[in-house]
Amino acid sequence: PAGAPLPAATRVGPVRVQVASLDRSLAYYRDVIGLRVVDHVDGHASLGPSDDARVLVELGERPGAPRADERPHTGLYHFALLVPDRATLGAFVRHLSEHGVHAGA
């Protein structure tokens, strides 16, 4: 609300995603999205940009976890990754298309 702004020091942390198959999800986030595996231990993995140490996505494996579109629960609908400019965005959308991934609203 207008009368309750967030403090200037507020920062968003990593997105945590529960997945049925860590190997499948790692392949997607690494090969399609382009994130780097920062850490991978015992059913959990942290991923970040290739050029710095920040963690943007944390994956936790839960075998048998239902897909988001198979369950009647609310959860993470989407998250955004900022790219530096329109040319980079265009190249990334082209890359997604080459992998058969739909991007956009």
Side-chain angles (χ1 to χ4, degrees):
L6 291 173
T10 300
R11 297 291 178 263
V12 176
V15 172
R16 292 188 178 120
V17 182
Q18 180 176 281
V19 299
S21 169
L22 185 58
D23 289 338
R24 182 181 66 223
S25 296
L26 278 173
Y28 176 79
Y29 284 99
R30 185 188 58 234
D31 302 339
V32 177
I33 302 300
L35 295 177
R36 169 181 70 87
V37 177
V38 175
D39 190 30
H40 182 190
V41 178
D42 297 329
H44 297 277
S46 300
L47 301 105
S50 61
D51 57 354
D52 74 41
R54 285 179 299 160
V55 171
L56 301 177
V57 178
E58 296 174 350
L59 302 176
E61 185 172 52
R62 186 176 142 220
R67 292 171 26 149
D69 60 354
E70 294 176 339
R71 60 182 181 203
H73 306 292
T74 58
L76 181 68
Y77 179 71
H78 78 274
F79 64 92
L81 298 170
L82 182 65
V83 295
D85 52 46
R86 290 180 64 86
T88 303
L89 177 60
F92 183 66
V93 170
R94 184 174 44 254
H95 166 79
L96 291 177
S97 177
E98 291 167 355
H99 280 84
V101 175
H102 173 74

